[in-house]
Amino acid sequence: MLGVSAAIFFLVNAIGNPIELMMAETPGMTGEVIERMKAYYGLDHPPLTRYLLWLGRLARLDFGTSIVYNQPVGSLILTWGWETLKIQLPAILIALAVAILFGITAARRQHSRSDFAVMGTALLGQSLPAFFLGILLIFVFSYTLDWLPSYGAYSTRNPLWGSPVFDALWHMVLPVAMLTFFNTATLTLLMRSNMVDVLKSDFIAAMRASGIPERRVIFVHALRAAFIPMLTYLGLLIGLMLGTAPVTESVFTWPGLGYLYISAIHQLDYPVIMGASAVIAFMLICTTLLTDVIYVLIDPRISLE
């Protein structure tokens, strides 16, 4: 985490200075104002000193103040990160359920029409550009059918049926559908591949020969064995979900952390970039540790030692 933060900090500093970017956009800024802004945001120190000061604040869970929004970065991450979780968590859970169902179906009927249909759809999902699917969804369901909103997380006026909850769910449909499609594609291919190998293994043949019902063999023993290799990818997916939706959030103008992150890079808002990077790295470490624990729970032969 320390290495990631140092690499991102010095890379952002090498790109440019946010005050110089603001000077280009606001030609009337005086030298006195510029110096005050540099002192206020700590930009009057050398990069190494600023990085050490940032580490000191991070130890106190102080992510600093955004140069663009002039708000505490921690507050921005909580607000915008919650909007990202709202679309990422349902998308991952739905994709996991669909991938297990489709993966098992395709593996049990390998080389059949249903197997080719599942494989073809999954490969299409992996190869299709994300922004193209987003624009297609907006064109069909927003502009042609006028069923769903094309942007934002809430209606600025007249929420659906007068309820903010239904209005939020109404806005979530298209972004969640887009994320679910792409998550399902990869998870389905993984589940099918793992399940094909497991169904050919000796212990599955022994269970079938001993008279254990086929449904129990598939959905208990084979599924548990096939699910273990998926845990690594699933852990990465959950750990990076706060930072892996910039395309979706940009297409639907969704006020999430990915959209904030991309905007911060464009405007060299380095406190936001550093704060969001630290949170994403911390989540990735936590989910990696959690994945190791789940490995042991699913397969007792694996030891944490």
Side-chain angles (χ1 to χ4, degrees):
M1 185 171 172
L2 191 64
V4 170
S5 66
I8 294 175
F9 183 87
F10 290 106
L11 182 62
V12 172
N13 275 275
I15 294 174
N17 189 316
I19 301 299
E20 293 176 357
L21 194 63
M22 294 171 67
M23 287 167 57
E25 296 175 352
T26 314
M29 291 176 67
T30 63
E32 183 182 0
V33 172
I34 292 169
E35 292 303 320
R36 284 183 180 177
M37 291 185 67
K38 285 183 178 179
Y40 180 75
Y41 291 110
L43 296 171
D44 52 345
H45 299 296
L48 181 59
T49 305
R50 284 159 46 199
Y51 177 64
L52 295 176
L53 290 172
W54 180 81
L55 284 180
R57 289 195 300 270
L58 183 65
R60 303 190 300 272
L61 295 181
D62 178 6
F63 294 97
T65 304
S66 166
I67 296 173
V68 174
Y69 297 94
N70 197 27
Q71 293 179 28
V73 173
S75 174
L76 288 174
I77 291 174
L78 284 176
T79 305
W80 294 61
W82 166 244
E83 296 297 335
T84 296
L85 288 177
K86 276 172 52 182
I87 57 173
Q88 285 278 23
L89 273 180
I92 292 175
L93 293 176
I94 295 171
L96 183 60
V98 174
I100 290 175
L101 180 64
F102 284 1
I104 291 176
T105 302
R108 292 183 66 189
R109 302 172 182 171
Q110 194 178 7
H111 306 311
S112 66
R113 289 184 180 178
S114 56
D115 183 25
F116 288 130
V118 170
M119 288 286 290
T121 307
L123 290 173
L124 178 66
Q126 281 201 319
S127 57
L128 198 65
F131 69 91
F132 176 78
L133 178 63
I135 292 172
L136 186 65
L137 290 173
I138 290 173
F139 177 76
V140 174
F141 294 102
S142 295
Y143 289 99
T144 304
L145 300 174
D146 196 21
W147 287 353
L148 297 163
S150 61
Y151 65 91
Y154 306 96
S155 297
T156 53
R157 60 179 67 180
N158 301 326
L160 183 66
W161 300 335
S163 168
V165 175
F166 284 118
D167 186 61
L169 294 173
W170 188 45
H171 282 76
M172 286 169 56
V173 173
L174 288 185
V176 170
M178 179 173 165
L179 288 169
T180 300
F181 183 75
F182 289 106
N183 290 335
T184 302
T186 305
L187 289 172
T188 299
L189 291 175
L190 281 173
M191 174 54 72
R192 179 196 174 276
S193 175
N194 297 335
M195 186 60 77
V196 165
D197 292 337
V198 170
L199 291 179
K200 293 178 180 176
S201 62
D202 293 337
F203 85 94
I204 292 295
M207 286 183 178
R208 283 171 170 163
S210 63
I212 297 176
E214 180 69 10
R215 187 179 294 273
R216 183 174 176 79
V217 170
I218 297 295
F219 290 98
V220 177
H221 301 286
L223 178 59
R224 184 169 61 182
F227 193 73
I228 292 174
M230 289 181 64
L231 275 177
T232 303
Y233 178 77
L234 201 58
L236 286 173
L237 197 63
I238 295 173
L240 293 172
M241 65 180 169
L242 284 178
T244 54
V247 175
T248 304
E249 293 176 0
S250 297
V251 169
F252 294 101
T253 323
W254 186 267
L257 194 61
Y259 187 77
L260 176 69
Y261 199 75
I262 295 298
S263 301
I265 292 174
H266 283 305
Q267 300 175 78
L268 296 177
D269 192 353
Y270 83 92
V272 172
I273 298 172
M274 295 301 299
S277 301
V279 171
I280 292 169
F282 179 73
M283 279 195 63
L284 188 58
I285 292 170
C286 290
T287 52
T288 302
L289 291 174
L290 185 62
T291 302
D292 290 341
V293 173
I294 295 175
Y295 273 136
V296 178
L297 294 177
I298 292 179
D299 189 349
R301 295 173 300 175
I302 302 173
S303 170
L304 287 175
E305 295 178 357

